[in-house]
Amino acid sequence: MGLNKKSVDDINVKGKRVLVRCDFNVPLKDGEITDETRIKAALPTIQKLIGDGGKVILCSHLGKVKNGPNEGESLAPVAKRLSEKLGKPVNFVADYNVTGEAATKAVADMKEGDVVLLQNTRFRGKEETKNGEAFSKELADLCDVYVCDAFGSSHRAHASVAGVTDVVRAKGGECAVGYLMQKEIDFLGNAVENPVRPFVAILGGAKVADKLNVIANLLEKCDTLIIGGGMAYTFLKAKGYEIGTSLVDEEKLDYCKEMMDKAEKLGKKLMLPVDTTVASAFPNPIDAEIEVSVVSADAIPADKMGLDIGTETAKMYAEAVKSAKTVVWNGPMGVFENPILAKGTIAVAKSLAETDATTIIGGGDSAAAVNQLGFADKMSHISTGGGASLEFLEGKELPGVAAADDK
């Protein structure tokens, strides 16, 4: 995987039109942004390009846009917030066609340091299909240089992520990554490709099926692989243990056995829970008070369900992290949304917060957990992309990363 990419520090944008693919897929409620993390994360790249005299054209998707273009998924609220954050007007092109006459005119009128935001790219329909070719060309027609700063979308070979780069390059333009993308490549990419050892990987979450390739790839790369969350019970059942009514992926029992054998052959440590927190049913609602007990992992009662790692396991996992130099964590240890079942996730987060290792949180639920539990500022890096970070951990080449020029 080629990770040595041109960044915004390697290109000259003075007087040039720069198209920046951002990730402005922010949560909205009644037209108001409820979490502006993604907007804040995009600012350093945008400010750098403005400061260097670029004419900055921003684009992003928002939502899934299942029923065609609609005001509820317009980027208008993002334009308003961006303009406040940048302290200058952001010219929003509301045209549902995204790259039509209104966009062409707005770009033609730009001066150095101006900012234009195009409408939601998904308003153009499926931008990964044939329609994407025309869209890629229209996007490329608006710019001289392309910058991808949307790691959360970089695993998709869409027009605004990868397609546009071929057209920009064909007309002599450069394609670089922004600061946010660079950070993801530096931390996530290099953690997997070139880790400082000992390298400990922690995987949690519900299903083994979601992380098949991640488990296989990380076993090759890490020194210790820690398994928690719902997926642990499939491994425990594969060992022949009674797991009661715990979540199990029946079709993946043989796979779990293979992985345990593989770890042994490679001389890697694969750690599974030695005890577990059980209850008679899944909490409903998810944060409801619930009666729990901690039992040995090989003695789960037939009528009980494992919902978090136990106290001994939490101690054992925390101990394993202490001597690490690189830790990658993807997926919570239990139902962390419930205070009673968050103890395992808290213990792991706390051990990461206290280590000197480079600590990388691989997006999705684990990012939500460290943010919610107040450990975010203690981590070296929290990935901004759930699906993209998982594919990076699988060792896959991401279209949005591959499409940038090599240095």
Side-chain angles (χ1 to χ4, degrees):
M1 192 171 3
L3 297 178
N4 196 16
K5 297 293 177 182
K6 262 187 198 171
S7 87
V8 286
D9 288 331
D10 302 312
I11 55 175
N12 174 14
V13 298
K14 186 160 175 58
K16 292 180 184 170
R17 301 167 303 160
V18 190
L19 179 68
V20 188
R21 176 53 159 99
C22 299
D23 182 1
F24 293 142
N25 187 20
V26 293
L28 292 171
K29 192 175 179 184
D30 306 324
E32 291 296 321
I33 297 165
T34 56
D35 181 348
E36 55 183 39
T37 308
R38 287 181 165 157
I39 293 176
K40 280 186 192 155
L43 294 175
T45 295
I46 299 169
Q47 283 159 334
K48 161 77 174 160
L49 296 167
I50 291 170
D52 286 355
K55 299 173 181 178
V56 184
I57 307 144
L58 309 172
C59 68
S60 173
H61 77 282
L62 189 143
K64 297 226 178 330
V65 192
K66 288 196 166 119
N67 305 312
N70 65 88
E71 277 310 292
E73 288 171 304
S74 163
L75 282 173
V78 173
K80 184 169 169 272
R81 189 64 60 90
L82 256 179
S83 158
E84 289 162 11
K85 296 267 177 215
L86 292 168
K88 64 184 301 162
V90 169
N91 182 7
F92 177 55
V93 181
D95 179 8
Y96 286 177
N97 187 46
V98 190
T99 50
E101 273 176 45
T104 310
K105 183 178 182 328
V107 171
D109 292 344
M110 290 177 87
K111 296 182 175 60
E112 291 184 11
D114 282 357
V115 183
V116 162
L117 173 63
L118 304 178
Q119 185 54 283
N120 188 340
T121 56
R122 292 210 174 148
F123 283 4
R124 277 294 291 265
K126 293 193 171 0
E127 55 162 328
E128 71 277 17
T129 58
K130 274 288 179 201
N131 163 48
E133 288 178 21
F135 190 28
S136 295
K137 184 180 181 314
E138 288 165 32
L139 284 167
D141 285 346
L142 292 175
C143 71
D144 309 303
V145 176
Y146 172 80
V147 172
C148 186
D149 210 24
F151 181 72
S153 303
S154 66
H155 58 314
R156 306 193 186 283
H158 288 180
S160 64
V161 174
V164 61
T165 61
D166 293 333
V167 196
V168 169
R169 220 176 269 117
K171 61 179 192 174
E174 292 179 285
C175 300
V177 297
Y179 288 133
L180 193 60
M181 280 282 281
Q182 186 61 53
K183 196 171 178 227
E184 297 279 5
I185 293 168
D186 289 347
F187 278 98
L188 259 180
N190 289 320
V192 178
E193 293 304 313
N194 194 16
V196 181
R197 299 188 182 278
F199 172 26
V200 175
I202 307 168
L203 292 179
K207 296 187 188 134
V208 173
D210 296 342
K211 303 216 166 109
L212 291 179
N213 300 331
V214 180
I215 296 168
N217 188 46
L218 286 178
L219 263 183
E220 304 268 344
K221 315 271 187 185
C222 69
D223 302 296
T224 301
L225 179 60
I226 292 174
I227 305 276
M231 64 196 288
Y233 302 102
T234 306
F235 275 91
L236 293 174
K237 185 164 185 180
K239 282 185 84 160
Y241 292 0
E242 163 65 61
I243 59 160
T245 59
S246 307
L247 192 66
V248 64
D249 219 330
E250 294 286 355
E251 290 172 15
K252 299 292 176 276
L253 292 168
D254 286 343
Y255 174 84
C256 290
K257 285 178 192 159
E258 273 171 41
M259 289 303 112
M260 291 187 279
D261 290 345
K262 179 175 178 169
E264 204 171 326
K265 283 195 187 98
L266 293 170
K268 305 294 172 79
K269 214 178 198 176
L270 193 152
M271 298 176 81
L272 295 170
V274 291
D275 62 350
T276 184
T277 301
V278 298
S280 26
F282 197 87
N284 182 20
I286 201 161
D287 57 355
E289 280 235 10
I290 186 171
E291 203 172 301
V292 299
S293 56
V294 176
V295 298
S296 172
D298 59 358
I300 299 175
D303 61 346
K304 298 281 191 202
M305 172 184 270
L307 295 169
D308 189 15
I309 56 175
T311 38
E312 286 310 308
T313 305
K315 279 184 206 157
M316 181 174 91
Y317 288 1
E319 196 57 39
V321 165
K322 269 185 189 164
S323 57
K325 288 280 181 271
T326 306
V327 186
V328 170
W329 177 21
N330 185 287
M333 296 293 101
V335 187
F336 76 95
E337 300 90 341
N338 185 305
I340 299 158
L341 301 168
K343 288 178 181 160
T345 303
I346 290 170
V348 168
K350 195 166 176 298
S351 66
L352 263 67
E354 288 167 359
T355 176
D356 295 333
T358 298
T359 50
I360 299 152
I361 312 301
D365 279 345
S366 24
V370 292
N371 280 314
Q372 202 174 307
L373 302 169
F375 291 103
D377 61 339
K378 300 279 194 296
M379 303 300 159
S380 309
H381 178 63
I382 299 176
S383 180
T384 52
S389 60
L390 266 184
E391 292 198 13
F392 230 159
L393 294 177
E394 282 178 32
K396 281 189 182 170
E397 185 170 77
L398 306 186
V401 176
D405 296 344
D406 291 325
K407 272 192 190 178

